[in-house]
């Protein structure tokens, strides 16, 4: 049984969440203002690599956090791959990322579906297929399996 002293007050949780979101917006606003005269850091510098790695904070906040907790509970350290892979790509894959960004800018694409379709003649059918595939890939596989998962028992 949880006592009243162990539970955070709702106003405190809301205040912390509002402060966090406000801080994120202020940092984004400051970055926009500073980058008006050009990039904040040289794209080929270690500062750029570090800033790319810091973007993992956004990548790893919502579904990956909860997914990692579930995987850690059931399979140990296997959950770490979701963090290690993107970190290694952002640290050591600068050449690859630069090429992908150059192609995306040249083709004026804004999504993975557009990017793949642009590589194959800007096919709308292919873009729709990739979009559908990416939407289906968002559903956890455990939802489609017949055996109950540990996550379903928590809910």
């Amino acid at each position: 049984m949880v006592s009243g002293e162990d539970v955070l007050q709702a106003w405190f949780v809301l205040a912390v969440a509002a402060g966090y979101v406000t801080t994120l917006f202020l940092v984004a606003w400051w970055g926009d203002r500073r980058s008006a005269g050009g990039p904040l850091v040289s794209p080929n510098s270690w500062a750029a690599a570090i800033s790319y790695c810091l973007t993992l904070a956004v990548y790893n906040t919502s579904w990956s956090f909860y997914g990692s907790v579930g995987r850690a509970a059931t399979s140990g350290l296997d959950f770490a791959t979701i963090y290690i892979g993107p970190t290694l790509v952002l640290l050591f894959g600068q050449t690859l990322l630069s090429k992908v960004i150059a192609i995306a800018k040249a083709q004026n694409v804004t999504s993975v579906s557009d990017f793949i379709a642009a590589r194959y003649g800007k096919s709308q059918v292919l873009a729709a297929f990739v979009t559908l595939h990416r939407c289906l890939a968002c559903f956890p596989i455990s939802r489609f399996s017949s055996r109950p998962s540990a996550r379903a028992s928590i809910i």
Side-chain angles (χ1 to χ4, degrees), residues 35-47:
S35 68
L40 294 175
V41 295
S42 170
N44 297 325
S45 69
W46 271 99

Side-chain angles (χ1 to χ4, degrees), residues 12-26:
F12 179 74
V13 173
L14 290 174
V16 169
Y20 178 69
V21 170
T22 301
T23 302
L24 290 177
F25 277 106
L26 288 174

Side-chain angles (χ1 to χ4, degrees), residues 5-128:
E5 296 172 5
D6 294 339
V7 178
L8 293 174
Q9 298 293 325
W11 66 267
F12 179 74
V13 173
L14 290 174
V16 169
Y20 178 69
V21 170
T22 301
T23 302
L24 290 177
F25 277 106
L26 288 174
V27 168
W29 175 78
W30 175 78
D32 268 351
R33 299 273 313 219
R34 268 211 56 195
S35 68
L40 294 175
V41 295
S42 170
N44 297 325
S45 69
W46 271 99
I50 291 170
S51 68
Y52 289 138
C53 288
L54 290 175
T55 62
L56 290 176
V58 174
Y59 170 75
N60 290 320
T61 52
S62 59
W63 71 267
S64 62
F65 171 75
Y66 292 108
S68 294
V69 170
R71 285 192 70 179
T74 59
S75 62
L77 287 177
D78 286 348
F79 77 95
T81 57
I82 198 168
Y83 302 107
I84 294 171
T87 300
L88 292 176
V89 168
L90 292 174
L91 279 175
F92 302 113
Q94 293 295 313
T95 304
L96 174 68
L97 289 175
S98 297
K99 289 180 182 180
V100 169
I101 291 169
I103 292 169
K105 286 182 178 179
Q107 296 290 329
N108 195 25
V109 297
T110 57
S111 69
V112 173
S113 302
D114 289 342
F115 184 83
I116 292 173
R119 301 303 292 164
Y120 295 97
K122 297 221 179 211
S123 168
Q124 290 182 346
V125 173
L126 180 60

